[in-house]
Amino acid sequence: MQSYWEHDAWMHYDYIVVGAGIIGLSTAISLKEQAPNSSVAVLERGVIPSGASTRNAGFACFGSLTEILYDMEKNGEEPTVHLVRARYNGLQILRKRLGDKACGYEQHGGYELLFAENLAALDHIDRVNAALQEIFPTPTFRLCNDLISTFGFDRKRVKALIQSDFEGQIHSGTMMRSLTHYAQERGITVLFGTAVEAIESTSSHTMLCVQHGGERLTFRASEVALCTNAFTSEFVPELGITPGRGQVLITEPIENLPFRGVFHLDEGFYYFRNVSSPEGERILLGGGRNLAFAAETTTAMQLNTAIQQELERLLRELIAPNHDVRVAERWSGIMGFHATKLPIVKRVRERLTVGFGCNGMGIALGSSIGADTARCMLEK
Ligand SMILES: Cc1cc2nc3c(=O)[nH]c(=O)nc-3n(C[C@H](O)[C@H](O)[C@H](O)COP(=O)(O)OP(=O)(O)OC[C@H]3O[C@@H](n4cnc5c(N)ncnc54)[C@H](O)[C@@H]3O)c2cc1C
């Protein structure tokens, strides 16, 4: 049973956002920016943000050459360029809001390793650079094969290396902590340990039900945003959002690690980067979902042994064959995917808007989708 004080001060808001990932927090911040006098709350089921935003690889990336080519093929050139622009703009919003230190942002550039079977992509560099020239001040992609040996990669397998100056990397934990504080400092109520179990819309409000101490509590708002990524299908199955689990490992510090930056390979199915920790430089490596698509289409946060073994093999044979590497930690995280790979920002029911769409690349895009979601909620 709630007290008068509790339900009077804590349960009713103008706007409620479900999910405190990068999209949810960015939506709440954009709402407060656009409607400063409104009351805004974020309900998050985890004790800390507990989705992909704190479990990712921290690439602040816009798409590698082969990923952009794939997207152009699938969705057309214009929507793909629009998406890259939204990623670029989103990253600028995030960096402006928090500052680079609070994101752990470093810009060492991005690279793509091409194997023999990927070399045809090189024929399209000029076309893709031309399509992206309105976004980036200098050509986005260029060959840098001289760095393959400098970086110590397996020369037998890596046939070409493509560089992009504009990609960066963040510390995902620091960034999400800073983003949470940023929201709270602007008067947004962020409630953790608050798992929404049911959503009911009426003509005047949307109600969100949560369990607390054996009791069912009901939050109420004029407008609600659902920013629950892979878990959106629990409430709105008709959108066709599916989960995709990602596997990650990080090494112990490695002496004289010869590379810095974010690296993509195998059409984005694998990725690795340096991580500058107080103890020294580490390698973070993730991916391998393509080895077991069906098994990895899950929301279960577990490790897949076969994929972890493949990650270790790549680490030792391809990425750091000249170093003694030891794995320090492993984890998994759940991404949300949609067939088009394009964002979904739309009102799905009266007083309920969905903000979704990072498809495995949300750091750069998240703030843009948050702004769009807030705009959609404010349009009556
Ligand atoms: C292993 C891995 C590596 C990745 N690497 C990168 C990368 O390097 N660069 C990049 O740009 N992107 C990367 N991504 C993708 C990126 O992390 C996501 O695109 C982005 O974080 C999605 O943000 P979001 O806010 O939509 O979702 P999430 O961060 O998943 O947030 C959704 C939130 O909703 C909460 N929630 C769910 N259900 C409920 C409920 N019923 N009630 C209350 N709260 C609920 C969850 O706990 C969660 O905190 C990676 C993802 C993974 C898993």
Side-chain angles (χ1 to χ4, degrees):
M1 187 197 313
Q2 279 196 297
S3 73
Y4 167 83
W5 313 118
E6 287 166 345
H7 69 73
D8 197 47
W10 287 90
M11 307 306 289
H12 305 157
Y13 300 87
D14 296 316
Y15 303 105
I16 293 181
V17 178
V18 185
I22 186 169
I23 294 188
L25 289 171
S26 302
T27 300
I29 292 164
S30 289
L31 282 167
K32 202 69 182 164
E33 284 170 358
Q34 290 168 46
N37 296 326
S38 61
S39 55
V40 182
V42 179
L43 308 186
E44 163 58 44
R45 67 178 177 179
V47 170
I48 57 173
S50 300
S53 299
T54 46
R55 308 182 72 79
N56 59 43
F59 286 37
C61 56
F62 310 111
S64 68
L65 175 66
T66 59
E67 284 171 313
I68 288 175
L69 280 171
Y70 176 88
D71 288 354
M72 283 179 168
E73 180 93 355
K74 194 171 166 65
N75 297 323
E77 186 165 308
E78 207 184 304
T80 304
V81 172
H82 182 81
L83 188 58
V84 174
R85 192 186 297 108
R87 288 176 184 142
Y88 180 77
N89 291 343
L91 185 62
Q92 306 318 311
I93 296 172
L94 183 69
R95 292 176 63 193
K96 191 162 170 218
R97 278 183 180 151
L98 302 184
D100 286 350
K101 191 160 177 245
C103 300
Y105 182 81
E106 293 172 31
Q107 193 164 325
H108 299 300
Y111 300 84
E112 180 165 20
L113 287 68
L114 295 187
F115 303 145
E117 57 271 30
N118 314 124
L119 288 177
L122 295 177
D123 299 339
H124 302 278
I125 281 196
D126 290 344
R127 176 166 68 90
V128 173
N129 282 344
L132 301 180
Q133 69 180 2
E134 54 178 295
I135 305 171
F136 300 107
T138 54
T140 316
F141 299 113
R142 66 173 184 279
L143 261 186
C144 60
N145 288 349
D146 49 316
L147 291 177
I148 300 174
S149 300
T150 311
F151 288 166
F153 302 147
D154 175 12
R155 273 224 71 114
K156 286 200 283 304
R157 187 88 176 95
V158 183
K159 300 294 182 201
L161 192 64
I162 301 172
Q163 185 169 8
S164 161
D165 293 332
F166 305 104
E167 294 200 330
Q169 56 200 65
I170 61 158
H171 184 306
S172 304
T174 305
M175 183 280 284
M176 283 299 293
R177 210 182 143 106
S178 304
L179 196 61
T180 305
H181 290 163
Y182 185 94
Q184 288 166 329
E185 279 164 11
R186 273 145 194 83
I188 295 165
T189 302
V190 185
L191 298 179
F192 290 101
T194 311
V196 172
E197 293 186 347
I199 303 177
E200 289 162 27
S201 292
T202 70
S203 58
S204 57
H205 290 104
T206 291
M207 331 248 236
L208 302 168
C209 304
V210 307
Q211 289 293 333
H212 176 68
E215 198 185 347
R216 189 175 167 128
L217 304 184
T218 304
F219 289 89
R220 200 179 72 191
S222 305
E223 290 286 338
V224 167
L226 197 53
C227 301
T228 44
N229 198 16
F231 299 89
T232 304
S233 50
E234 287 176 13
F235 301 104
V236 197
E238 64 273 19
L239 290 179
I241 293 169
T242 54
R245 187 168 59 189
Q247 304 283 322
V248 181
L249 61 77
I250 190 165
T251 67
E252 297 286 357
I254 298 171
E255 265 184 48
N256 304 319
L257 187 70
F259 58 79
R260 301 266 185 292
V262 296
F263 295 80
H264 313 258
L265 60 141
D266 211 358
E267 296 179 358
F269 280 117
Y270 294 91
Y271 40 87
F272 64 94
R273 58 171 278 192
N274 71 297
V275 173
S276 302
S277 72
E279 303 80 26
E281 290 294 319
R282 302 167 188 263
I283 299 174
L284 180 153
L285 165 64
R289 219 165 43 85
N290 52 331
L291 294 180
F293 270 130
E296 296 304 293
T297 304
T298 174
T299 53
M301 211 103 81
Q302 286 157 2
L303 296 177
N304 178 318
T305 308
I307 294 178
Q308 287 286 335
Q309 282 169 352
E310 177 60 7
L311 292 178
E312 275 205 50
R313 191 191 65 76
L314 281 175
L315 180 64
R316 291 183 210 290
E317 295 178 10
L318 183 95
I319 300 165
N322 307 319
H323 291 82
D324 174 26
V325 284
R326 268 162 296 181
V327 176
E329 291 180 42
R330 306 169 196 272
W331 68 89
S332 67
I334 311 298
M335 294 168 271
F337 287 95
H338 185 259
T340 63
K341 286 182 82 181
L342 298 172
I344 302 173
V345 176
K346 69 174 182 183
R347 206 174 270 265
V348 287
R349 285 180 221 150
E350 208 181 358
R351 302 178 187 283
L352 183 65
T353 299
V354 164
F356 164 83
C358 297
N359 285 292
M361 216 186 287
I363 290 168
L365 189 56
S367 307
S368 288
I369 296 186
D372 290 345
T373 309
R375 216 171 289 124
C376 187
M377 293 169 79
L378 292 165
E379 276 167 15
K380 287 284 181 310

